[in-house]
Amino acid sequence: LDSGSISEKIYFMDRKLVIRRDEYKWVIERTGKMRVDGVIYASEDLIAEMDDMVASQVSHVASLPGIVGYSYAMPDAHWGYGFCIGCVAAFDPGLGGVISAGGVGFDIACGVRTLHTGLVEKDLKPRRKEQIAEALFAHIPAGVGSRGKISLSVSKLDELLIGGAGWAVEHGFGKPEDLQFIESGGKMPGAEPSSVSEQAKKRQLNEMGTLGSGNHYLEVQKVVEIYDTEIAKAFGIEEGDIKISIHCGSRGLGHQIGTDYLKKMALSAKEHGIELAERELACAPLNSPVGLSYLGAMRCGINCALANRQILMHLVREVFERECPKADIRLLYDVSHNTCQEEQHEIEGQKRRLFVHRKGATRAFGPGHPALPKEYSRAGQPVLIGGTMGTASYILAGTEQGEKRSLSSSCHGAGRQMSRTAATKRWHGKDIMRHLAGQGILIRSRSLRGLAEEAPQAYKDVSEVVEVSEQAHLARKVAKLVPLICVKG
């Protein structure tokens, strides 16, 4: 599982494309049809590992109508469909601003939910750890085409798409107090089920309460380091704690919404005279019929993802009630990283109503923001950074500086540096599972190929990505967690 010697690394980024403004900020100056500058936050090594496509995509987003501020890329940025993964861009509807399905991503509201357990490492003796791993694997549906334990009618699904995590709690999947620690209170207003196709709904009828595949996971983790004791205390984190993180999104429904609206937006762009640098940037004016319809559908996707993670949390509670009754499963926070949300931000000295695309980027509000739970108001918003199978995850906190630096946005994970196809040619799932077991990490997966695709070495160094986020003042490091059990599709 050697990741390769330094001499084997390939450096892609053409330095002529970017200008270094400080140690961690690189600027693509406005040229051609760009309406704003581009900004990439990265270290020397991370910028070198980004290929020219990242710079190109940042520039292309900067050319879209109504963009304000900058076109941003986070430290974990890599190529994506239309917008790069790790892109942040805000659009003003009063200036003809647009919304793009490619700027949100296919897995709408994919995100991370981190749970307290009330346990410490000594509570997970080897035999108990094995029992919990097997119980989670048996109880949590995961993998391509996985079916949940809930079967919904279309009318019930419509209720869920409006109600989000609140619908799940009302139907017995969780506790009312869970909702106060979910971004937007667990429900995105403005969801319009009538804007979601029948095909999208059909795909979701049996997928609620499922993890899915790819880089999605459920992980039992141990806190191994605290960086900010005051914020950690506010978040309820101590060294040695056992936490659980769930990483998943809106499953088939979100993917189908993205597919449906990319086609509609390609036509809409032409109708509104929008010139696209590439077809994948397909978009529609926010105030147009297509733009408004996509907003309603995307918000359904957000609510679907929030409900899905709420149901999964309930399933985790059921496992721990049986296997470890002393556990107390409570929600630390839930935040999405594939969304477009209406927010107020200061641009050129004025507060403006903007629609902020975050694709593979996490909202990171600083201390005192009115959207935060009162328990976290002085600390800032928890920013949950998922690691890769076998590597560390991190909990950060939003900063005051983040508003001006990145529209209160941070990274969302490590970011791929190798395609899934390339990873499967280099590693084998059984070898990865055996190697991680030797480190005390129990892996449970329904796909050995999926394990090879998600090999830790296929990703950037998450610790460096997090360090850049802190040094660039996008978010503050609070705690480091390492995996003990990882359930994957």
Side-chain angles (χ1 to χ4, degrees), residues 327-365:
D328 178 20
I329 305 297
R330 295 175 294 109
L331 182 54
L332 191 158
Y333 203 62
D334 180 305
V335 64
S336 302
H337 49 236
N338 278 354
T339 63
C340 177
Q341 302 198 52
E342 181 179 344
E343 299 171 8
Q344 294 282 333
H345 289 281
E346 187 174 304
I347 303 292
E348 298 176 352
Q350 290 187 332
K351 282 282 186 182
R352 294 164 73 168
R353 171 177 170 258
L354 304 174
F355 286 78
V356 184
H357 292 67
R358 293 186 180 91
K359 180 182 180 180
T362 308
R363 190 161 79 174
F365 287 148

Side-chain angles (χ1 to χ4, degrees), residues 22 24-25 39 41 70 72 74 399-409 468 471-474:
D22 62 37
Y24 300 104
K25 182 178 181 181
V39 170
Y41 289 107
Y70 299 93
Y72 296 98
M74 299 293 103
T399 65
E400 293 178 355
Q401 302 99 311
E403 164 67 13
K404 291 185 178 180
R405 298 283 285 179
S406 61
L407 299 171
S408 295
S409 308
V468 171
Q471 295 301 324
H473 306 296
L474 309 182

Side-chain angles (χ1 to χ4, degrees), residues 48-199:
E49 291 173 357
M50 294 179 189
D51 64 23
D52 289 353
M53 284 302 297
V54 171
S56 177
Q57 290 191 310
V58 169
S59 300
H60 290 165
V61 172
S63 71
L64 292 175
I67 189 170
V68 297
Y70 299 93
S71 171
Y72 296 98
M74 299 293 103
D76 52 340
H78 58 98
W79 180 87
Y81 190 95
F83 289 44
C84 68
I85 309 298
C87 182
V88 177
F91 296 85
D92 187 334
L95 298 177
V98 297
I99 188 167
S100 170
V104 171
F106 285 94
D107 193 2
I108 296 171
C110 179
V112 179
R113 171 177 291 223
T114 297
L115 317 177
H116 301 291
T117 68
L119 303 175
V120 293
E121 188 175 22
K122 68 179 182 180
D123 295 317
L124 296 184
K125 302 293 185 184
R127 185 178 177 185
R128 174 66 57 81
K129 186 175 164 184
E130 287 274 1
Q131 290 172 336
I132 290 174
E134 289 300 324
L136 288 170
F137 187 56
H139 201 55
I140 306 294
V144 176
S146 54
R147 296 169 64 90
K149 302 178 187 299
I150 305 165
S151 184
L152 299 174
S153 65
V154 171
S155 61
K156 283 293 183 183
L157 180 62
D158 283 352
E159 293 175 10
L160 180 152
L161 298 183
I162 292 172
W167 179 94
V169 170
E170 289 171 8
H171 285 76
F173 301 103
K175 303 175 181 179
E177 55 264 34
D178 296 340
L179 302 178
Q180 70 187 76
F181 296 107
I182 305 175
E183 185 180 29
S184 304
K187 172 185 174 181
M188 179 57 62
E192 293 289 347
S194 61
S195 296
V196 179
S197 71
E198 292 304 309
Q199 177 63 17

Side-chain angles (χ1 to χ4, degrees), residues 445-467:
S445 175
R446 289 172 172 82
S447 169
L448 291 176
R449 178 182 175 84
L451 291 182
E453 290 177 349
E454 296 301 312
Q457 295 83 357
Y459 285 81
K460 304 175 196 277
D461 181 352
V462 68
S463 297
E464 184 172 7
V465 168
V466 165
E467 187 64 25

Side-chain angles (χ1 to χ4, degrees), residues 114 221-224 243 245 391-395 479-483:
T114 297
Q221 306 163 325
K222 179 179 70 170
V223 178
V224 294
K243 306 297 183 187
S245 288
T391 66
S393 294
Y394 289 84
I395 296 174
K480 177 180 180 180
L481 305 88
V482 296

